[in-house]
């Protein structure tokens, strides 16, 4: 168990840190606090790579406006994998900025808030066999759909399996 106290996240990466091949794996409960994983980077001068969150269950969050995963990188995070994870009843889902090649596999977002918030700085976003709660929403600014299966009945704003990429001039933006 990772238990956050007060308004702190369960895991917080300090501003200015560069991550390389960091993995959280196994059966994990991330309990309480504001965000589950929080990384707001404004100062790094290098690219981070290969962050994996696997087997995490987020619960009992203390801030409905916080996110399960909040990543806002200064330059770029190359390679984010979120696999076999569950949560969201008590907060928003995933907030990504400046992430290249993000993969969500077997993720269950059970909340009623913003399931996924990405902008044009996110490139190559893959959803594989995911569940998004029926009343959840998504904010996909500057993204274009490359491939998407139909929405499942009674599911949220995103299809269970899809591939998105940044929109370029002349592309239809969502």
């Amino acid at each position: 168990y990772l238990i956050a106290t007060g308004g702190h996240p369960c895991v917080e990466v300090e501003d200015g840190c560069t991550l390389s091949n960091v993995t959280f794996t196994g059966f994990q409960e991330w309990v309480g606090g504001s965000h589950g994983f929080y990384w707001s980077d404004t100062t790094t001068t290098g690219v981070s790579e290969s962050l994996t969150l696997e087997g995490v269950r987020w619960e009992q969050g203390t801030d409905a406006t916080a996110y399960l995963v909040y990543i806002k990188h200064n330059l770029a995070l190359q390679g984010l994998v979120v696999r076999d994870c569950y949560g969201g009843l008590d907060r928003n889902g995933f907030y990504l900025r400046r992430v290249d090649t993000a993969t969500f596999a077997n993720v269950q977002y059970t909340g009623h808030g913003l399931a996924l918030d990405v902008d044009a700085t996110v490139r190559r976003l893959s959803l594989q066999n995911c569940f998004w709660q029926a009343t959840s929403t998504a904010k996909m600014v500057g993204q274009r759909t490359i491939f998407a299966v139909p929405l499942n009945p009674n599911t949220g704003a995103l299809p269970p399996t899809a591939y998105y990429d940044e929109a370029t001039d002349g592309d239809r933006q969502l």
Side-chain angles (χ1 to χ4, degrees):
Y1 281 81
L2 289 179
I3 301 174
T5 58
H8 298 284
C10 289
V11 176
E12 181 174 8
V13 179
E14 289 189 12
D15 189 13
C17 285
T18 300
L19 297 183
S20 179
N21 298 304
V22 175
T23 300
F24 293 85
T25 189
F27 180 74
Q28 304 172 64
E29 299 283 341
W30 293 10
V31 180
S34 56
H35 301 276
F37 182 92
Y38 182 81
W39 186 12
S40 181
D41 173 45
T42 61
T43 61
T44 57
T45 58
V47 173
S48 293
E49 60 182 82
S50 301
L51 172 61
T52 301
L53 304 173
E54 182 177 45
V56 178
R57 177 185 174 103
W58 292 280
E59 60 183 57
Q60 301 174 38
T62 58
D63 184 351
T65 64
Y67 289 84
L68 299 174
V69 174
Y70 182 99
I71 297 174
K72 184 177 179 182
H73 201 281
N74 191 42
L75 293 177
L77 166 60
Q78 296 176 342
L80 169 66
V81 175
V82 181
R83 182 177 30 242
D84 299 326
C85 294
Y86 173 91
L89 184 59
D90 45 18
R91 58 192 117 168
N92 292 314
F94 304 91
Y95 178 96
L96 304 178
R97 297 295 185 268
R98 292 187 180 94
V99 176
D100 295 341
T101 312
T103 302
F104 291 79
N106 302 319
V107 171
Q108 296 182 27
Y109 175 71
T110 59
H112 303 287
L114 189 54
L116 184 62
D117 185 345
V118 298
D119 69 3
T121 65
V122 176
R123 300 185 304 181
R124 295 175 300 279
L125 173 64
S126 176
L127 309 177
Q128 303 165 6
N129 194 35
C130 296
F131 171 82
W132 311 98
Q133 185 61 263
T135 56
S136 66
T137 59
K139 186 176 178 184
M140 308 277 289
V141 176
Q143 297 291 311
R144 64 183 169 138
T145 305
I146 305 299
F147 166 81
V149 300
L151 294 175
N152 284 340
N154 301 318
T155 60
L158 296 164
T161 300
Y163 186 79
Y164 301 94
D165 205 349
E166 63 185 330
T168 58
D169 290 342
D171 288 334
R172 179 178 64 90
Q173 292 195 11
L174 302 175

